[in-house]
Amino acid sequence: MVLIIPCGPTNTVVALKGDTQGDVAPNLAVEVLSRSNTPQEMRQKLREYFTMGTELVWFVDPRDRTVQVFKAANKSQQLSAAQPLTGGHVLPGFKVTLKKLFSVLDS
């Protein structure tokens, strides 16, 4: 998991990798799915993120090369191939196609 949290007067972005403790509500949470993740586990994480106040969640599936973008626990869009992944108002200016994002897997 990666948490993106704007901090301070200049909105410096802090990225935390791994498990986090406490009541930190990231603006953007990115979950890179693995074979061990169950649908039930991911639904629970999604509920927890949005209950804490997270605004945007990405479930990145490197096996399928897709990203599921959640703007709410019950509102998502599945992106694939040439579709762009954007950060919306949470990460302004961020835009990358999934083809480019997953190209590192081909190296």
Side-chain angles (χ1 to χ4, degrees):
M1 171 182 54
V2 177
L3 303 178
I4 306 293
I5 307 166
C7 299
T10 60
N11 276 338
T12 303
V13 173
V14 175
L16 307 170
K17 283 182 79 172
D19 292 331
T20 60
Q21 302 294 322
D23 295 326
V24 176
N27 294 72
L28 168 64
V30 180
E31 290 279 350
V32 178
L33 304 178
S34 67
R35 294 183 197 280
S36 65
N37 293 123
T38 66
Q40 180 181 0
E41 170 193 13
M42 299 316 294
R43 283 191 300 273
Q44 177 64 31
K45 285 185 175 192
L46 197 58
R47 284 191 296 272
E48 290 172 3
Y49 284 133
F50 285 106
T51 297
M52 288 187 331
T54 299
E55 299 175 57
L56 186 62
V57 177
W58 296 341
F59 284 179
V60 179
D61 189 336
R63 287 172 294 156
D64 292 342
R65 297 185 181 207
T66 60
V67 176
Q68 192 166 4
V69 177
F70 292 88
K71 293 183 179 178
N74 61 353
K75 183 180 178 185
S76 72
Q77 178 184 10
Q78 183 91 10
L79 303 178
S80 61
Q83 290 179 289
L85 174 64
T86 66
H89 74 282
V90 175
L91 201 58
F94 177 83
K95 183 177 180 180
V96 65
T97 64
L98 295 196
K99 182 177 181 179
K100 184 172 183 177
L101 179 73
F102 290 117
S103 68
V104 296
L105 299 176
D106 298 327
S107 313

